Amino acid sequence: MNELEETMRERLKKNQFMSYNHIELEHVEPDYAVFRLDIRPESRNIFGMVHGGALYTMADNAAGSAAHTDGRNYVTQNGSLHFLRNQTEGTVRATGRVRHRGRSTVLVSVDITGQDQRLLATGEFSFFCVERSGKSS
């Protein structure tokens, strides 16, 4: 495990909502992060498909983790996710890629894929950088 991955895993231990929903970090590198969800009964909506909230949570975490790879602290400023299709079993992955990194904001694109790399959802998230002291940069 490299230093970036170790640091990210330590930070994510504090994210109880992500853990509660069985969402896990699979891979991280500068400006890039992949999360996975192995679909469980509690991951599904009343129609038996992955709940949209689980997909959105995965997307927000993948995007946020990609933003955090520069070592600074961020909060989600805005998020938009387009749901295209869904699945009932197997594994889904959210991949976040930094598209733009400014002094105080970061824009990250996210794709959620399912079986056979089928695109399930896509979107963008923006993050605002906050200094470790809690003041805005």
Side-chain angles (χ1 to χ4, degrees), residues 70-109:
D70 70 350
R72 299 189 302 165
N73 290 319
Y74 294 89
V75 293
T76 304
Q77 191 175 32
N78 185 49
S80 175
L81 193 63
H82 302 277
F83 298 98
L84 306 173
R85 63 177 52 90
N86 210 326
Q87 69 184 50
T88 59
E89 58 188 22
T91 300
V92 292
R93 286 181 174 79
T95 303
R97 291 178 181 86
V98 171
R99 294 187 54 209
H100 171 78
R101 188 180 292 280
R103 287 184 299 172
S104 60
T105 61
V106 177
L107 179 65
V108 182
S109 64

Side-chain angles (χ1 to χ4, degrees), residues 10-57:
E10 279 302 311
R11 185 180 74 77
L12 291 171
K13 284 181 182 178
K14 299 173 187 172
N15 189 335
Q16 294 180 13
F17 188 74
M18 185 188 80
S19 298
Y20 179 80
N21 286 285
H22 310 289
I23 296 167
E24 301 174 10
L25 173 67
E26 190 169 78
H27 179 77
V28 65
E29 59 189 65
D31 295 339
Y32 180 84
V34 180
F35 281 73
R36 75 181 276 159
L37 170 65
D38 295 322
I39 300 171
R40 302 165 175 242
E42 59 270 26
S43 306
R44 297 183 183 114
N45 62 23
I46 61 171
F47 303 106
M49 295 183 216
V50 180
H51 193 286
L55 294 175
Y56 192 91
T57 298

